[in-house]
């Protein structure tokens, strides 16, 4: 008998990412769009979806229990959605960025109760890059300064991007540094020589750029540049669906990330 498609409830369904995931979940074999949630003033545009639509996740989960929710909203909305998902034991894939440290701890607490996966970037390419970076930084050694730039569309609310911070954290960790202490996002005026223990992350905003991240290793007489460019939001959506499939087989306990999905793919 063919496997039953995995039901997906999209949170933030009227948004840029939400629309992309609704389209993918409706079209991809192995998935079924089971519901769409957004603020009450954004629901009108969702009526053409032939699925239950509501401003409350509870209203959808009341009728369907065997689903995974995918959340691309805002930090406060994500936390409200997690409270509702916990009531119904519903696993949640979280793509929202911009969480404060205190809010990240709340995510971790929910992850002890229901399966939760959070990744500031759901793209498979970015996550494979993130897996490679610490090895590169270690092999090159401390003579190679690390810098990063990120470019996003003019509507993006947070800076630096969650992805840049995620890549920066992996790089800082590989050198035994704390990113919060070593990161610099602006240089202006008589700044003096660059300290060795520093990671520069510069944010550029404009147009409709989906996301470009470039990591530079600047060494004596040579430079290495690694660049990831998202051509459309579809790669984030495909990654989120892959994460949902993986999460549907997991137990709660800790906050998972796309690195867990990649690690399982490598070991399998
Ligand atoms: P968007 O503003 O287009 O969409 C957000 C949607 O969430 C809107 O439709 C809004 O009405 C809805 N929303 C807000 N509060 C809500 C609530 N309380 N209940 C239900 N819905 C609510 O934004 P976007 O570009 O789709 O991005 C959304 C989030 O995802 C941002 O944090 C962004 O940085 C992040 N993002 C992450 C990735 C990734 O790969 N992890 C990729 C792209 C964007």
């Amino acid at each position: 008998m063919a496997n039953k498609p995995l039901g997906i409830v999209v949170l933030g369904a009227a948004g840029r990412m939400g629309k992309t995931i609704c389209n993918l979940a409706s079209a991809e074999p192995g998935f079924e769009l089971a519901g769409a949630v957004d603020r009450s003033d954004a629901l009108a545009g969702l009526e053409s979806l032939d699925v239950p639509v509501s401003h409350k996740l509870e209203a959808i989960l009341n009728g369907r229990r065997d689903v995974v929710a995918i959340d691309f909203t805002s930090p406060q909305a994500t936390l409200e959605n997690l409270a509702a998902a916990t009531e119904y034991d519903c696993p949640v894939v979280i793509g929202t960025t911009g969480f404060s440290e205190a809010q990240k701890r709340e995510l971790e607490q929910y992850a002890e109760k229901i399966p939760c996966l959070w990744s500031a970037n759901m793209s498979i390419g970015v996550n494979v890059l993130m897996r490679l970076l610490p090895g590169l930084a270690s092999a090159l050694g401390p003579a190679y300064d690390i810098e990063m730039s990120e470019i996003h569309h003019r509507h993006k609310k947070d800076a630096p991007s969650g992805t840049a911070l995620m890549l920066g954290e992996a790089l800082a960790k590989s050198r035994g540094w704390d990113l919060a202490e070593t990161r610099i996002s602006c240089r202006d005026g008589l700044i003096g020589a660059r300290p060795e223990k520093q990671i520069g992350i510069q944010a550029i905003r404009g147009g409709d750029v989906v996301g470009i991240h470039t990591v530079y290793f600047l060494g004596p007489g040579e430079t290495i540049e690694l660049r990831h460019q998202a051509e459309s939001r579809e790669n984030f959506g495909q990654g989120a669906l892959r994460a949902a499939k993986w999460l549907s087989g997991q137990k709660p306990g800790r906050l998972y990330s796309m690195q867990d999905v990649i690690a399982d793919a490598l070991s399998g």
Side-chain angles (χ1 to χ4, degrees):
M1 200 174 81
N3 280 345
K4 207 173 142 221
L6 176 65
I8 300 290
V9 177
V10 178
L11 308 172
R16 285 174 285 258
M17 276 308 304
K19 279 186 200 143
T20 305
I21 295 169
C22 285
N23 290 338
L24 287 172
S26 305
E28 288 287 316
F31 296 95
E32 172 216 349
L33 184 62
V37 178
D38 208 297
R39 292 191 319 234
S40 36
D41 59 349
L43 294 182
L46 300 177
E47 276 157 10
S48 59
L49 296 169
D50 193 18
V51 296
V53 166
S54 176
H55 67 286
K56 277 186 173 296
L57 175 58
E58 298 91 315
I60 311 277
L61 295 181
N62 234 342
R64 280 291 299 263
R65 303 302 286 263
D66 53 341
V67 295
V68 175
I70 300 183
D71 181 303
F72 281 82
T73 56
S74 68
Q76 192 51 43
T78 300
L79 292 172
E80 287 162 18
N81 288 329
L82 283 170
T86 304
E87 296 284 307
Y88 292 86
D89 280 331
C90 173
V92 187
V93 170
I94 305 152
T96 303
T97 65
F99 293 102
S100 67
E101 288 306 313
Q103 287 173 323
K104 279 188 209 162
R105 279 193 291 281
E106 284 190 63
L107 294 186
E108 284 161 4
Q109 284 162 6
Y110 280 113
E112 288 171 15
K113 298 177 193 145
I114 49 170
C116 289
L117 180 149
W118 174 60
S119 192
N121 191 313
M122 294 283 172
S123 131
I124 300 297
V126 160
N127 280 282
V128 170
L129 176 64
M130 183 171 155
R131 210 181 150 90
L132 296 175
L133 285 176
L136 274 174
S138 301
L140 290 166
Y144 288 72
D145 294 322
I146 302 171
E147 293 281 316
M148 212 185 297
S149 70
E150 55 100 338
I151 312 179
H152 282 89
H153 55 89
R154 58 166 66 185
H155 302 292
K156 184 159 178 64
K157 295 189 181 82
D158 51 325
S161 70
T163 305
L165 293 173
M166 189 175 97
L167 297 174
E169 263 158 27
L171 285 160
K173 202 169 155 203
S174 74
R175 295 220 161 150
W177 300 346
D178 179 349
L179 183 66
E181 285 170 13
T182 48
R183 159 164 95 79
I184 182 166
S185 289
C186 175
R187 295 187 180 97
D188 193 355
L190 282 172
I191 57 162
R194 183 194 195 280
E196 191 179 288
K197 191 176 171 181
Q198 189 171 77
I199 297 179
I201 306 182
Q202 312 309 324
I204 299 167
R205 292 288 174 270
D208 57 2
V209 178
V210 176
I212 303 174
H213 291 86
T214 311
V215 178
Y216 303 87
F217 291 100
L218 306 144
E222 61 180 0
T223 300
I224 297 178
E225 203 176 309
L226 290 111
R227 181 164 181 263
H228 178 274
Q229 177 160 344
E231 307 289 353
S232 77
R233 291 184 174 80
E234 207 177 304
N235 76 102
F236 305 129
Q238 290 286 7
L241 287 181
R242 186 160 156 185
K245 186 74 107 189
W246 181 87
L247 193 64
S248 68
Q250 303 301 319
K251 293 195 166 19
R254 68 179 171 85
L255 186 57
Y256 299 113
S257 78
M258 281 305 277
Q259 289 301 309
D260 294 301
V261 181
I262 304 275
D264 261 14
L266 284 173
S267 68

